Amino acid sequence: MSGTGIFEASDKLASELQQIIDLPLYDDSSRVRVSDVACSLSLEHWHAARSLLRAGRLPSAVVIHRAQFEALTRSAWVLFGASNEQVSKLTADLSIESEQAAKNMPQIAQMIKSLESNGPIQLHTALVRFKENSWKALNSYAHAGIHPIRRHHDGYPLKLLEDVQRNANGLAVISCMQAVVLGGKEQLQRDVLSLATKYPTCMPPEL
């Protein structure tokens, strides 16, 4: 599949996934609403990363891809692992005081650790696997480390662009599985996974 082809397939995947996850929320609780916002933010980052990768803007796409992962992890943590007090901090009106209070939120490793005992095991495993395989490189891109410096100097291999797109698509599928849970339709997770199998060439090796 050519670079253009993988981006076109990813766009089709996005369109079909949207049809599955277009659901009302399960309830109007703060926990569900905040988790949904973070999940939606993760999917927005996915759309942005696809556009950047299509344009060949790899370093910027990878920074957004990192944010995609963090927003997905936050969504899962809010739903399954956060305390009521922590959720309330994320629903407060934006101010200097609320911004300061929110700085004490768990970091990515702590959120994932919380999901080990409080969240679905498959979700925890997927987030751990992604972090183990990608986190160092993602941080390098976010902080102008050796990865973006060398790639920006030497150019971006098509395979690297495609691999990042596949990883972004994989995270998006997990986000959509989270979205149907937030809609109270856990059974639709099978439909999300079934749809992903229709696009094997634009998915990561292990979904």
Side-chain angles (χ1 to χ4, degrees):
M1 177 181 286
S2 68
T4 300
I6 196 171
F7 299 134
E8 290 177 348
S10 299
D11 289 344
K12 291 178 181 178
L13 172 65
S15 178
E16 293 188 52
L17 284 172
Q18 181 58 43
Q19 294 178 38
I20 297 175
I21 68 171
D22 188 14
L23 301 165
L25 294 179
Y26 177 68
D27 63 39
D28 193 42
S29 66
S30 295
R31 185 178 299 275
V32 168
R33 286 188 285 108
V34 173
S35 179
D36 178 65
V37 170
C39 185
S40 178
L41 183 60
S42 181
L43 289 170
E44 180 174 317
H45 290 324
W46 176 44
H47 299 317
R50 293 204 322 276
S51 297
L52 288 166
L53 289 167
R54 187 191 294 272
R57 306 296 187 186
L58 178 69
S60 298
V62 175
V63 172
I64 295 297
H65 181 37
R66 180 182 186 266
Q68 178 194 6
F69 172 66
E70 292 190 271
L72 169 59
T73 303
R74 180 77 75 187
S75 174
W77 172 75
V78 166
L79 187 61
F80 298 111
S83 68
N84 290 336
E85 181 182 1
Q86 288 168 325
V87 172
S88 69
K89 290 180 179 179
L90 292 172
T91 59
D93 291 337
L94 191 58
S95 66
I96 294 176
E97 291 76 15
S98 63
E99 179 185 19
Q100 183 61 39
K103 286 183 178 180
N104 298 323
M105 288 293 178
Q107 298 300 306
I108 195 79
Q110 296 169 299
M111 289 191 288
I112 293 176
K113 179 65 176 176
S114 173
L115 291 170
E116 184 176 10
S117 55
N118 298 315
I121 186 62
Q122 298 90 340
L123 176 58
H124 173 261
T125 299
L127 295 176
V128 168
R129 183 185 301 124
F130 180 89
K131 186 173 183 292
E132 288 177 345
N133 292 333
S134 304
W135 193 241
K136 289 182 180 179
L138 294 182
N139 285 339
S140 181
Y141 277 96
H143 302 296
I146 188 172
H147 282 266
I149 292 294
R150 292 315 311 166
R151 292 300 185 189
H152 197 65
H153 178 269
D154 300 336
Y156 313 125
L158 178 58
K159 183 181 184 303
L160 182 56
L161 288 164
E162 292 178 340
D163 285 347
V164 173
Q165 181 64 76
R166 291 186 181 99
N167 287 338
N169 292 345
L171 285 184
V173 168
I174 300 172
S175 292
C176 289
M177 294 176 71
Q178 172 80 348
V180 298
V181 169
L182 291 165
K185 302 290 185 181
E186 288 87 347
Q187 67 274 18
L188 290 181
Q189 288 186 327
R190 293 191 296 271
D191 293 355
V192 172
L193 289 174
S194 178
L195 176 58
T197 63
K198 291 172 53 180
Y199 295 90
T201 52
C202 67
M203 298 303 299
E206 293 186 14
L207 183 62

